[in-house]
Amino acid sequence: MNNNIQNQIFAHPPWRLHGDAFILNYWLNPFFLKTAKRFRLAPSPLGRMVNVMLIRYQDSPVGPYDELLIMDHPLLYKHRLSTIPKIYVSTQASLVHGQQLWGIPKELAEFEWLEKRRSHLLYCASSAARDVNLSGAAEKQHLVLYQ
């Protein structure tokens, strides 16, 4: 491990995290799986279930941070476990700890949360915006969430 990166590791496992989360379940058809290669989802002739998780950690060993991840659930006959092919976080500390301690492919992104009445609006920018937007445009992408 690079000495500079090793100096950034200060929160060793186990981690106790506290926060709020939205978990969205999607069934992706085979066509989407073929065209969305940037998400690194395994191909399937039948399609598959994925979870999109949006999490606001108010308390963690590396401080508060936001996280957007995709969890892929291959079909059982493929003998593969669930994987996290894409994950975005809002802080460098979370990125470094996730990559170095657990090998999680975290990428840095900017998050902006707005709350109005009973709905939540999330803006996600940086490399995450280009991945969420299949057209490749770099403008901020937003997701509307309801409680």
Side-chain angles (χ1 to χ4, degrees), residues 22 56 111-116 118-124 141-146:
F22 294 94
R56 295 209 83 183
F111 293 78
E112 181 183 350
W113 294 78
L114 302 173
E115 296 182 31
K116 283 190 173 182
R118 292 176 40 113
S119 66
H120 296 263
L121 183 62
L122 167 67
Y123 288 96
C124 192
Q141 296 299 305
H142 68 275
L143 299 167
V144 179
L145 308 167
Y146 298 96

Side-chain angles (χ1 to χ4, degrees), residues 1-146:
M1 183 184 309
N2 179 317
N3 220 10
N4 187 28
I5 292 174
Q6 194 171 23
N7 292 338
Q8 294 179 41
I9 303 295
F10 57 85
H12 295 279
W15 281 21
R16 293 192 181 183
L17 305 162
H18 300 281
D20 298 311
F22 294 94
I23 301 173
L24 311 166
N25 300 308
Y26 292 100
W27 180 263
L28 303 180
N29 65 41
F31 176 76
F32 182 87
L33 292 170
K34 285 180 187 174
T35 58
K37 293 184 185 204
R38 66 183 64 163
F39 291 109
R40 298 193 316 247
L41 300 167
S44 169
L46 303 173
R48 77 160 44 44
M49 174 68 73
V50 297
N51 301 114
V52 176
M53 298 181 191
L54 302 160
I55 307 161
R56 295 209 83 183
Y57 294 111
Q58 285 92 21
D59 185 32
S60 87
V62 295
Y65 68 95
D66 298 323
E67 186 171 79
L68 167 66
L69 68 89
I70 298 173
M71 184 174 283
D72 188 11
H73 303 286
L75 298 173
L76 292 177
Y77 74 87
K78 294 288 186 182
H79 303 290
R80 285 189 54 206
L81 299 175
S82 297
T83 60
I84 301 172
K86 280 288 185 184
I87 182 169
Y88 301 99
V89 293
S90 61
T91 68
Q92 184 70 26
S94 173
L95 180 138
V96 169
H97 282 77
Q99 288 177 347
Q100 297 302 314
L101 295 177
W102 295 288
I104 298 173
K106 291 186 174 186
E107 296 178 38
L108 201 56
E110 236 180 90
F111 293 78
E112 181 183 350
W113 294 78
L114 302 173
E115 296 182 31
K116 283 190 173 182
R117 297 184 196 150
R118 292 176 40 113
S119 66
H120 296 263
L121 183 62
L122 167 67
Y123 288 96
C124 192
S126 189
S127 63
R130 286 186 290 279
D131 284 346
V132 170
N133 181 358
L134 295 177
S135 71
E139 73 272 359
K140 285 185 179 179
Q141 296 299 305
H142 68 275
L143 299 167
V144 179
L145 308 167
Y146 298 96

